[in-house]
Amino acid sequence: MINIRSVGVPGVILAIAASALHSPLVVSTCLSVLASICTYNAIPLVSEVFIKHGRFGKDLLKEDRPIIPESMGVVVGVVYFISMFLFIPVPFISWFNGVREEGLDFPHHKFAQFLGGLLALFSMLFLGFADDVLDIRWRVKIWFPLIASLPLLMVYAVTYGGTDVLIPLPLRGFFSDKILHLGIFYYGYMAALTIFATNAVNIVAGINGIEGGQTIIIAISLAINDMVQILTNPARRDAHMISLYFLLPFIGTTFGYLKHNWYPARAFGGDTFTYFAGMIFAVVGILGNFSKTVLLFMIPQIFNFVYSCPQLFHLVDCPRHRMPKINPKTSLIHPSTFDISKSKPLGKLIIQIFKTLGLTHITIDPETKRPLATNFTLINLVLVKFGPMSEAKTTLTVIIIQALSSCLAFTIRYLLVHLVYNREE
Amino acid sequence: MINIRSVGVPGVILAIAASALHSPLVVSTCLSVLASICTYNAIPLVSEVFIKHGRFGKDLLKEDRPIIPESMGVVVGVVYFISMFLFIPVPFISWFNGVREEGLDFPHHKFAQFLGGLLALFSMLFLGFADDVLDIRWRVKIWFPLIASLPLLMVYAVTYGGTDVLIPLPLRGFFSDKILHLGIFYYGYMAALTIFATNAVNIVAGINGIEGGQTIIIAISLAINDMVQILTNPARRDAHMISLYFLLPFIGTTFGYLKHNWYPARAFGGDTFTYFAGMIFAVVGILGNFSKTVLLFMIPQIFNFVYSCPQLFHLVDCPRHRMPKINPKTSLIHPSTFDISKSKPLGKLIIQIFKTLGLTHITIDPETKRPLATNFTLINLVLVKFGPMSEAKTTLTVIIIQALSSCLAFTIRYLLVHLVYNREE
């Protein structure tokens, strides 16, 4: 037994640290807390440098339109990678501590999972930053995540390689087998997931705290799901453990960033942050072999994307900024609008359907007398439904919607799933 | 036998392509040629975008000081990574083609070498670009390669793990064994190599074509060394093969870039290129387990670094730009100078020694009457020794010096080595 008096407090701390080293999860958690503190402290330190070199944007929803340093995803990413690089040896420490001599092979496949995941993430961090600096065209950058995910898909192929899906009970009448062999299409799905996740997070944007807020809820939900699986499903333990190792430092760094991005924002993440964050979800889904579950936790992003489609595909007018606008008298934010008359015929039909479903609000421009519809984004819809609000309250409402969607996702994943699949399957 | 008439030319091409797929080196070479063409074509396409977003520099050695797009290492890097991402599955194609069924394990350790190497390279590409955009301080960025190399060092630890060096014959009297166990210091050496390689390439700079020119000579020399080893040393075949896979697309993309960077330059690489290029050499040295040989091929960079030290450590004055200056009348470039009187006592002694060795030329400023010494860089020294030259001829001279140094390196590696080591060792 350790005599506390003889070794003193540092000795006890060292002993705890040494035993904690046997639990990589404890080390990961400690590193994530440290990463959070580092990110929080680093952002104000580098803000001036970013502004001086042109990396800033104007906060359009404030009366004085202050200049805010942008691309702070660089800080989030760099701190994230430093923590991950320091962490990588930890899960393998028992191998370094003598297991090597006993002739046990090093688990290269697990190590490759870390490297492949980090490579995909670094690709997106780089491309996000390049986009912030060089303003790359949509039709080019939409393919970035596909390229970035190639090594990750190969990691999947050599680690799991499974491309079969279990057909839900109600649909089994249409198939001869209860298993559907998707083959190459499963890889197509995973590649599409990387494109979707990065871009879907990127277009829920425009008000203070929204990028960090939505992503931290998704990340925490996925981490809770990982912990539930680790505790209840021993066969899936390793897969969800690696997902946790990737998520915890992301939650840490994003939390440090969110404190500065929250209303009134002193830092913007830029595409650097949103692309990086979106890729995290795709990476953990693919590395943990739960790429379908990841989508369950992105219901608001899926809704926002589908809802945005008529504007993204130019069936109706799509202004450059679709973020809400501020009323300088009340300091409340209102939904922004677009001109209906610029719509294609199909677009006009969609506007009618959306109006009937209560998804858009039609007004008449007092000056031009032209009809206007509110822009098709989740944030504008929140303002249509709940009326004008302060910017902070709008962000909070969207985050609450994200959290409620996560509750729905857990219900589907753990309760409703038994309606469409047999329990024993 | 294939009947050419029945299958036609496309069939023959397909057959050749199919058999070539069995030789990853052929695929790598084809991809590298493609990468070269892509880089060459992409640079003019994106130049306007780079300039529009502030990524440009003035070419100070031209009379009209034209604006040249900078950070073109981004194009080199992105094309390089796309080719590598497409290439990664190729060396493992036999495993995908059915070997899996025979129960043979996938060679995860080889795969991890690719991923670890690319991760280190992507880290440096990102940090190089971040430095170009944000102009990061020396005392911060000097540590970048160390962090970037952490996963690579772990790949080394779990692939080779060897940290012993053979003591040269003349020194064996001082040691009890002919092997020296360096342990952790060997990792320290490899980490130092990454810091050295990236920064040493970065400071041989300032005239058109020099960054691309020096690195392509080093890369070609290392590739030749790889091929010699592959043909003569079966035990080291795999290690040198992976080095070739990393070098060939680098030679390809750098060649495409060099065509634009050559006098008169239409593109600058920026720190993005030099950091990326420097890291390539460290990566292949570590992955191929020949990190000492890599230094042999960087003799001009080592000389330039040691020669620069008095200025880098501020023992003598170090002007912001140490590149040569142009004489507008003759269009020839002359060595640039610094003010001797600003030197510390030790610095003055060094200037005396350098003057005696013919490493610097002392003149008197005609206006201020102060003594001036030529800046301590390889490029200035070339101009001191050979007299003022055109910019293109200066670059060519430095490249010839680099090529001659490579010949010296081969002589040391394959002939003189027998003077200090026994042949059978």
Side-chain angles (χ1 to χ4, degrees):
Chain A
M1 214 186 119
I2 298 171
N3 183 335
I4 292 184
R5 287 200 182 194
S6 69
V7 295
V9 176
V12 174
I13 292 173
L14 267 179
I16 293 171
S19 73
L21 271 175
H22 288 280
S23 165
L25 210 49
V26 175
V27 180
S28 176
T29 310
C30 296
L31 271 173
S32 305
V33 173
L34 263 177
S36 187
I37 297 167
C38 285
T39 311
Y40 179 73
N41 289 317
I43 288 176
L45 279 181
V46 301
S47 291
E48 277 305 305
V49 178
F50 274 60
I51 290 175
K52 191 178 139 201
H53 292 92
R55 299 280 82 240
F56 60 81
K58 284 187 179 168
D59 192 340
L60 301 178
L61 291 181
K62 307 289 177 294
E63 272 182 71
D64 54 345
R65 297 192 166 200
I67 279 176
I68 309 285
E70 212 178 28
S71 308
M72 279 300 157
V74 170
V75 178
V76 173
V78 168
V79 176
Y80 179 85
F81 282 106
I82 295 176
S83 1
M84 283 303 278
F85 283 5
L86 292 175
F87 175 72
I88 294 178
V90 176
F92 305 99
I93 212 123
S94 65
W95 184 81
F96 285 108
N97 279 343
V99 181
R100 186 170 8 182
E101 279 76 18
E102 291 168 35
L104 244 143
D105 273 347
F106 180 79
H108 286 282
H109 61 287
K110 272 196 196 179
F111 184 39
Q113 286 189 311
F114 276 102
L115 297 176
L118 289 176
L119 187 55
L121 285 171
F122 230 128
S123 310
M124 279 322 286
L125 187 73
F126 176 76
L127 295 169
F129 187 52
D131 184 33
D132 275 344
V133 173
L134 300 169
D135 211 1
I136 301 164
R137 284 184 205 161
W138 267 105
R139 65 166 194 257
V140 176
K141 68 186 178 190
I142 194 98
W143 302 108
F144 282 176
L146 184 67
I147 295 161
S149 67
L150 284 179
L152 194 64
L153 296 184
M154 182 152 164
V155 170
Y156 182 87
V158 302
T159 319
Y160 302 105
T163 60
D164 297 343
V165 290
L166 202 58
I167 298 165
L169 293 173
L171 300 178
R172 289 209 184 153
F174 302 102
F175 299 90
S176 57
D177 194 0
K178 66 180 181 181
I179 303 273
L180 185 63
H181 304 281
L182 285 178
I184 191 78
F185 295 104
Y186 195 78
Y187 288 93
Y189 162 72
M190 286 188 289
L193 174 69
T194 61
I195 297 180
F196 173 78
T198 45
N199 288 294
V201 167
N202 193 36
I203 60 172
V204 180
I207 55 177
N208 289 177
I210 199 74
E211 293 99 339
Q214 61 173 321
T215 49
I216 214 161
I217 298 289
I218 301 173
I220 291 172
S221 308
L222 288 170
I224 292 172
N225 182 55
D226 285 333
M227 282 188 270
V228 171
Q229 288 287 321
I230 289 168
L231 294 173
T232 61
N233 195 347
R236 301 269 300 126
R237 192 180 175 278
D238 279 4
H240 285 279
M241 206 56 119
I242 201 163
S243 164
L244 261 188
Y245 295 153
F246 273 85
L247 285 171
L248 292 181
F250 175 75
I251 295 170
T253 48
T254 301
F255 192 73
Y257 153 72
L258 190 56
K259 296 267 276 181
H260 296 287
N261 184 235
W262 196 258
Y263 182 91
R266 286 153 293 161
F268 288 160
D271 287 354
T272 320
F273 179 77
T274 49
Y275 281 180
F276 175 68
M279 198 64 175
I280 284 270
F281 306 140
V283 163
V284 298
I286 293 170
L287 286 184
N289 199 7
F290 56 89
S291 51
K292 296 176 297 298
T293 309
V294 162
L295 277 188
L296 263 188
F297 290 99
M298 296 182 77
I299 294 172
Q301 282 69 29
I302 297 173
F303 171 81
N304 185 63
F305 173 72
V306 175
Y307 183 41
S308 293
C309 276
Q311 291 198 296
L312 296 182
F313 294 105
H314 294 285
L315 297 174
V316 302
D317 185 39
C318 185
R320 182 159 156 65
H321 289 295
R322 300 194 296 159
M323 64 175 71
K325 54 184 190 213
I326 189 164
N327 180 340
K329 286 178 199 157
T330 60
S331 287
L332 298 182
I333 60 172
H334 296 248
S336 59
T337 54
F338 66 91
D339 187 341
I340 293 181
S341 57
K342 291 180 189 167
S343 312
K344 292 180 179 158
L346 181 59
K348 283 188 176 155
L349 177 67
I350 291 169
I351 294 171
Q352 276 307 315
I353 296 170
F354 277 11
K355 188 185 160 194
T356 314
L357 294 171
L359 292 175
T360 188
H361 189 72
I362 312 280
T363 49
I364 304 292
D365 189 315
E367 287 170 24
T368 64
K369 306 293 175 204
R370 287 181 160 193
L372 303 172
T374 55
N375 278 310
F376 300 163
T377 72
L378 178 62
I379 298 169
N380 281 309
L381 186 61
V382 163
L383 294 169
V384 166
K385 290 290 164 195
F386 297 99
M389 287 190 275
S390 70
E391 189 179 354
K393 208 173 156 191
T394 313
T395 305
L396 206 61
T397 310
V398 175
I399 291 175
I400 290 169
I401 291 171
Q402 186 83 49
L404 291 174
S405 304
S406 283
C407 297
L408 175 66
F410 279 112
T411 313
I412 295 172
R413 174 71 185 78
Y414 290 96
L415 296 175
L416 300 186
V417 71
H418 300 302
L419 300 179
V420 291
Y421 290 112
N422 289 325
R423 262 174 204 273
E424 61 274 20
E425 277 174 2
Chain B
M1 213 185 117
I2 298 171
N3 182 335
I4 292 183
R5 288 200 181 194
S6 69
V7 295
V9 176
V12 174
I13 292 172
L14 266 180
I16 293 170
S19 74
L21 271 176
H22 289 281
S23 165
L25 210 48
V26 175
V27 180
S28 177
T29 310
C30 296
L31 270 174
S32 304
V33 173
L34 263 177
S36 188
I37 298 167
C38 284
T39 310
Y40 179 72
N41 289 315
I43 287 175
L45 279 180
V46 301
S47 291
E48 278 305 305
V49 178
F50 273 61
I51 291 174
K52 191 178 140 202
H53 292 93
R55 296 281 83 242
F56 60 82
K58 284 186 179 168
D59 191 340
L60 301 178
L61 291 181
K62 307 289 177 294
E63 270 183 73
D64 54 345
R65 298 193 167 200
I67 279 176
I68 309 285
E70 210 178 32
S71 307
M72 278 299 157
V74 169
V75 179
V76 173
V78 168
V79 176
Y80 178 86
F81 281 107
I82 294 176
S83 2
M84 283 303 278
F85 283 6
L86 292 174
F87 175 73
I88 295 178
V90 176
F92 305 99
I93 213 127
S94 65
W95 184 81
F96 285 109
N97 279 344
V99 180
R100 187 172 6 184
E101 279 76 18
E102 290 167 34
L104 244 143
D105 273 347
F106 179 80
H108 286 283
H109 61 287
K110 273 196 196 177
F111 184 41
Q113 284 188 311
F114 276 102
L115 297 176
L118 290 175
L119 187 54
L121 285 171
F122 230 129
S123 310
M124 278 322 286
L125 187 73
F126 176 77
L127 295 170
F129 187 51
D131 185 32
D132 275 344
V133 174
L134 300 169
D135 211 0
I136 300 164
R137 286 185 203 159
W138 267 105
R139 64 164 194 258
V140 175
K141 69 186 177 190
I142 194 95
W143 302 109
F144 282 176
L146 184 67
I147 295 161
S149 67
L150 284 179
L152 194 64
L153 296 184
M154 182 153 164
V155 169
Y156 182 87
V158 302
T159 319
Y160 302 104
T163 58
D164 297 344
V165 289
L166 202 58
I167 298 166
L169 293 173
L171 300 178
R172 289 209 185 153
F174 302 102
F175 298 91
S176 57
D177 195 359
K178 64 179 182 180
I179 303 272
L180 186 63
H181 305 281
L182 285 178
I184 191 78
F185 295 105
Y186 195 78
Y187 289 92
Y189 162 73
M190 288 189 288
L193 175 69
T194 63
I195 297 180
F196 173 77
T198 46
N199 287 295
V201 168
N202 193 37
I203 61 172
V204 180
I207 56 176
N208 290 177
I210 199 72
E211 294 98 338
Q214 60 171 324
T215 50
I216 214 161
I217 298 290
I218 301 174
I220 291 173
S221 308
L222 288 171
I224 293 172
N225 182 56
D226 285 333
M227 284 187 269
V228 171
Q229 288 288 320
I230 289 167
L231 294 173
T232 60
N233 194 347
R236 302 269 302 126
R237 190 180 175 280
D238 279 4
H240 284 280
M241 207 53 121
I242 201 162
S243 164
L244 261 189
Y245 296 154
F246 273 85
L247 284 172
L248 292 181
F250 175 75
I251 294 171
T253 48
T254 301
F255 191 73
Y257 154 72
L258 189 55
K259 297 268 275 180
H260 297 288
N261 185 233
W262 196 259
Y263 181 91
R266 287 153 294 160
F268 287 162
D271 287 352
T272 321
F273 178 77
T274 48
Y275 281 180
F276 175 66
M279 198 64 175
I280 283 270
F281 307 139
V283 163
V284 299
I286 293 170
L287 286 184
N289 200 6
F290 56 90
S291 51
K292 295 176 296 297
T293 308
V294 163
L295 276 188
L296 262 188
F297 290 97
M298 297 182 78
I299 294 171
Q301 283 69 30
I302 297 173
F303 171 80
N304 185 65
F305 173 72
V306 175
Y307 183 40
S308 293
C309 276
Q311 291 199 294
L312 297 181
F313 294 106
H314 294 284
L315 295 175
V316 301
D317 185 38
C318 186
R320 183 160 155 62
H321 291 294
R322 300 193 296 160
M323 64 176 71
K325 55 184 189 211
I326 189 164
N327 180 341
K329 288 176 197 157
T330 59
S331 286
L332 298 181
I333 60 173
H334 295 248
S336 59
T337 53
F338 67 91
D339 187 341
I340 294 181
S341 57
K342 291 183 190 166
S343 311
K344 292 180 181 160
L346 180 60
K348 285 189 176 157
L349 177 67
I350 291 169
I351 294 171
Q352 277 307 315
I353 296 169
F354 278 12
K355 189 187 161 194
T356 314
L357 294 171
L359 293 173
T360 189
H361 189 72
I362 311 282
T363 50
I364 303 292
D365 189 315
E367 288 171 23
T368 63
K369 307 294 174 202
R370 287 183 162 192
L372 302 172
T374 55
N375 278 310
F376 300 164
T377 72
L378 178 61
I379 298 169
N380 282 308
L381 185 61
V382 164
L383 295 168
V384 167
K385 291 289 165 197
F386 298 97
M389 286 190 274
S390 72
E391 189 178 355
K393 207 175 157 192
T394 313
T395 305
L396 207 59
T397 311
V398 176
I399 291 175
I400 291 170
I401 292 172
Q402 185 84 48
L404 291 175
S405 303
S406 283
C407 297
L408 176 65
F410 279 111
T411 313
I412 295 173
R413 174 72 186 76
Y414 290 96
L415 297 175
L416 299 186
V417 71
H418 301 305
L419 300 180
V420 292
Y421 290 112
N422 289 325
R423 261 174 204 274
E424 59 275 18
E425 275 174 3

